[in-house]
Amino acid sequence: MTNNRQAAPIGVFDSGVGGISVLGTLTKVMPNEDFIYFGDSANAPYGEKSGKEVCECAHEVTKKLLDMDAKAIVIACNTATSAGAEFLRKTYPDIPIVGMEPAVKPAALSAEHPTVLVMATPLTIRETKLRSLMDRYRDCADFIDVPCHGLVELVERGITEGGEMDALLADLLAPHIRGRHIDAAVLGCTHYIHAKDAIRKALGDKVAIFDGALGTARETLHRLEALDLVNPSAKPGSVMILNSSDKDELLELSRKLLINAKNRKE
Ligand code: DGL
């Protein structure tokens, strides 16, 4: 029998349109769930703020999603996960709260002692979560962390490929990859997943690219199963997209990116 909580939606948020890349995967892994996505574009980029500011933004958005009866929260943002997941879990111990885990482990184990680029926002790179994750695998891989100033802003403008994207990626990556053999790259920010093709072009086909979207979607499903919160409905679920910015084009961009994300091969 369906209980009220099983039929409730899953709340998903990010600093903007980045987490739509995770939302696409969530809808593929759990096609019968309803989702409410909140993009906090009015406060983007989170990655250039302090940890305290990001934690406050994440709390505000979480309150909105819980007011809309969300049964679980997915923090589809590596930066907000690093700065706010612990606080949110302590504040809402009865709500399953799933964050992003940068795909450091699969990248580190993808070859014999690979050299791995870890692309993330400046705040994610400063926070301890990513650092301790890399520390765990330092015996089996060399990591080069790349704070990607400006990449989130470009994706928020709807630019995921083309001349401007190629030029920014060349500027960001060149100092780290010049004269080095790179085996793998971790996309440690959900905005970057939308620009995966451009990043692949910048790094070359031989570099394996990893992101945390599928891991987060699977972890969300496990948490719902463990708490008997899976929606037993046989109907396709719905997706509602909200944004804190009053720019209508962000909702349009979100819908377009969601279609791309659903078509993306995991
Ligand atoms: N998409 C977010 C992440 O995964 C952050 C972007 C931002 O800096 O706002 O880290």
Side-chain angles (χ1 to χ4, degrees):
M1 206 176 72
T2 308
N3 65 43
N4 283 344
R5 299 311 295 151
Q6 288 172 335
I10 298 171
V12 183
F13 77 90
D14 174 53
S15 63
V17 300
I20 296 276
S21 58
V22 182
L23 178 65
T25 309
L26 284 161
T27 62
K28 285 190 272 184
V29 171
M30 291 170 282
N32 303 327
E33 296 288 346
D34 294 330
F35 293 92
I36 304 174
Y37 180 88
F38 193 96
D40 195 11
S41 294
N43 289 307
Y46 280 3
E48 308 283 341
K49 293 184 179 337
S50 71
K52 186 170 174 284
E53 285 170 324
V54 171
C55 189
E56 282 163 9
C57 290
H59 192 197
E60 283 312 307
V61 177
T62 300
K63 280 194 269 187
K64 283 193 210 328
L65 291 168
L66 293 178
D67 282 348
M68 296 176 80
D69 201 31
K71 65 181 173 187
I73 299 290
V74 178
I75 311 174
C77 175
N78 292 268
T79 311
T81 301
S82 304
E86 205 179 311
F87 169 81
L88 293 176
R89 290 187 184 119
K90 271 195 199 128
T91 310
Y92 303 104
D94 299 332
I95 301 285
I97 296 179
V98 181
M100 295 301 300
E101 175 91 352
V104 165
K105 178 180 174 182
L109 303 179
S110 64
E112 182 73 33
H113 208 97
T115 299
V116 180
L117 279 187
V118 180
M119 300 169 67
T121 67
L123 180 57
T124 300
I125 286 178
R126 280 202 313 276
E127 288 278 332
T128 49
K129 183 179 161 60
L130 179 61
R131 206 142 293 283
S132 39
L133 192 55
M134 290 193 291
D135 285 346
R136 232 184 284 159
Y137 295 97
R138 281 197 204 281
D139 284 348
C140 35
D142 288 329
F143 296 106
I144 302 169
D145 49 54
V146 185
C148 294
H149 294 280
L151 195 43
V152 165
E153 289 89 329
L154 221 53
V155 175
E156 284 289 305
R157 284 169 47 211
I159 298 169
T160 56
E161 58 184 2
E164 207 177 337
M165 175 57 82
D166 294 344
L168 177 66
L169 287 172
D171 277 356
L172 292 170
L173 297 172
H176 302 279
I177 64 177
R178 198 176 291 126
R180 276 180 168 141
H181 174 81
I182 306 293
D183 298 285
V186 173
L187 306 186
C189 166
T190 55
H191 279 76
Y192 307 169
I193 305 174
H194 294 304
K196 198 170 184 172
D197 289 345
I199 294 170
R200 182 171 290 119
K201 192 167 118 192
L203 292 174
D205 274 350
K206 292 206 170 67
V207 177
I209 300 183
F210 296 85
D211 69 69
L214 187 58
T216 295
R218 286 185 175 146
E219 173 64 12
T220 306
L221 175 59
H222 290 156
R223 297 290 300 279
L224 295 183
E225 282 170 344
L227 295 165
D228 195 20
L229 281 175
V230 172
N231 192 336
S233 164
K235 283 193 314 210
S238 63
V239 175
M240 182 196 286
I241 299 179
L242 305 169
N243 198 292
S244 56
S245 159
D246 52 11
K247 289 188 198 148
D248 285 344
E249 58 266 31
L250 279 165
L251 292 179
E252 233 169 84
L253 173 63
S254 300
R255 286 187 210 104
K256 187 184 125 200
L257 292 173
L258 181 57
I259 294 169
N260 295 348
K262 283 183 172 179
N263 290 333
R264 197 185 62 231
K265 209 173 138 274
E266 297 300 336

